[in-house]
Amino acid sequence: MTTTSPAAPPERAARRRGTPATWLRSGGLSRLAFALPMILVFLVFSWTPIVRSVVMSFQETNLLTPATWVGIDNFVAVLNDPLLGTAVRNTLYFAALALVMGFPIPILMAVLMSEVRRGKGVYSALAYLPVVVPPVVAVLLWKVFYDASPSGVFNTVLGAVGISPQPWLQSPDTAMPSLVIEATWAAAGGSIIIYLAALLSVPPELYDAAEVDGASIWRKAWHVTLPQLRNVIFVMLILQILATAQIFLEPFLFTGGGPNNATVTVLLLIYRYAFQNSLGGNYGMATALSVMLAMFLAVLSWVYFRLTNRWSTS
């Protein structure tokens, strides 16, 4: 007659599984060896610049002379800069326009492309084409299109339908909307591909039931597609908010912040602080404003996910 030892309590078994000896026997050391290079690269190229920037925000330095510790003077100087309010307003204006003009378009295009029965791959490639174009090349190309003369590309098109030439980048009233149009064109392709991929997870039975009920494409999009994609939509929305809050390339290459500081954004102001002259700018003020922007975006992201967590999972 054989006897079996009683099973160890779950707590004792869990402690035994979590001992260092068990971790070593299960190959933990080899996994750590494989992960260690990636961890070191992440620390060196990600966290080291972050920590260095935080330290530099409390110093006065142009990277050419020895740094001097100044405490919160850089933050005070940034907050007292009269151009900061203009940059914040312009950034908020760009973000609002980008959300109104650019956020619904990829969703609409993805829904329409999902209904196409033939040539879906061709349409997907055409939608993603702007993402393939290098950003600097795209901006310089659109800068030619935005020629304010009557012979400019866009003004020629407008003239064909009886609309007078527009100043585009030369007017404070139209400069920011012009930047938003180009940014929307450049970024929409990636969002469309993400939404198309998300649409594959929607159960086909829901669309079949909607078609039996006689629902149009718009009713199917409103009552079936959007509710099924709300998790993706909420994530894409915060990603777009974060991206628009850090807009730099378009105002830098299109207008340089003009005309009359109408397109100066927060990141462009950081650039001016850091590279305002050939001898090196005030990197302390630049990193101070960078830290302030990072803290604001971190708090905004936390509040956003707290507010939308219930809506996105209900």
Side-chain angles (χ1 to χ4, degrees):
M1 181 176 180
T2 59
T3 59
T4 58
S5 58
E11 297 84 0
R12 188 180 304 170
R15 285 197 298 269
R16 189 162 56 242
R17 286 195 300 268
T19 59
T22 306
W23 179 76
L24 288 173
R25 286 195 299 269
S26 63
L29 190 60
S30 60
R31 292 195 296 267
L32 179 61
F34 277 110
L36 189 59
M38 292 183 290
I39 296 174
L40 292 178
V41 169
F42 182 77
L43 290 176
V44 171
F45 292 100
S46 293
W47 280 102
T48 301
I50 292 175
V51 174
R52 179 69 181 117
S53 297
V54 174
V55 173
M56 194 183 298
S57 65
F58 296 97
Q59 298 175 335
E60 181 179 352
T61 178
N62 60 1
L63 300 183
L64 299 176
T65 58
T68 304
W69 189 266
V70 296
I72 64 171
D73 290 354
N74 289 326
F75 294 90
V76 175
V78 169
L79 294 174
N80 289 332
D81 186 353
L83 196 56
L84 177 63
T86 302
V88 171
R89 287 192 299 270
N90 290 340
T91 303
L92 293 176
Y93 182 38
F94 182 94
L97 286 178
L99 290 176
V100 173
M101 298 172 58
F103 189 72
I105 291 178
I107 301 176
L108 177 62
M109 294 299 296
V111 171
L112 293 177
M113 290 169 60
S114 66
E115 295 292 328
V116 175
R117 302 304 180 186
R118 300 176 60 183
K120 185 178 297 186
V122 176
Y123 293 121
S124 300
L126 292 176
Y128 195 73
L129 185 60
V131 183
V132 179
V133 179
V136 175
V137 175
V139 170
L140 296 179
L141 182 64
W142 276 70
K143 196 171 184 178
V144 175
F145 294 163
Y146 279 139
D147 185 2
S149 65
S151 60
V153 176
F154 288 157
N155 282 337
T156 300
V157 175
L158 294 180
V161 294
I163 301 177
S164 60
Q166 301 298 313
W168 302 113
L169 303 174
Q170 284 69 36
S171 171
D173 297 327
T174 59
M176 190 64 79
S178 300
L179 269 59
V180 172
I181 293 174
E182 189 278 335
T184 299
W185 170 86
S191 300
I192 291 174
I193 297 301
I194 293 175
Y195 287 127
L196 283 174
L199 285 171
L200 297 176
S201 64
V202 180
E205 298 81 10
L206 298 178
Y207 291 114
D208 295 338
E211 289 182 0
V212 170
D213 293 337
S216 63
I217 181 175
W218 304 114
R219 288 188 175 274
K220 287 191 294 183
W222 183 259
H223 295 288
V224 177
T225 303
L226 292 182
Q228 294 294 319
L229 297 184
R230 56 187 168 188
N231 289 337
V232 178
I233 291 175
F234 279 123
V235 173
M236 293 296 292
L237 179 59
I238 187 60
L239 290 178
Q240 180 161 343
I241 293 174
L242 296 178
T244 53
Q246 302 175 73
I247 188 66
F248 170 77
L249 183 66
E250 282 77 7
F252 177 70
L253 292 180
F254 269 124
T255 61
N260 297 326
N261 292 325
T263 57
V264 172
T265 60
V266 174
L267 251 65
L268 188 57
L269 186 59
I270 293 173
Y271 174 85
R272 289 184 176 181
Y273 286 155
F275 304 103
Q276 58 187 353
N277 57 66
S278 59
L279 297 178
N282 193 328
Y283 288 93
M285 291 182 62
T287 53
L289 183 52
S290 300
V291 170
M292 293 166 62
L293 177 62
M295 293 176 60
F296 170 77
L297 295 179
V299 173
L300 177 65
S301 301
W302 180 81
V303 172
Y304 176 86
F305 281 112
R306 291 282 293 182
L307 292 178
T308 59
N309 181 58
R310 179 174 58 86
W311 301 336
S312 61
T313 56
S314 60

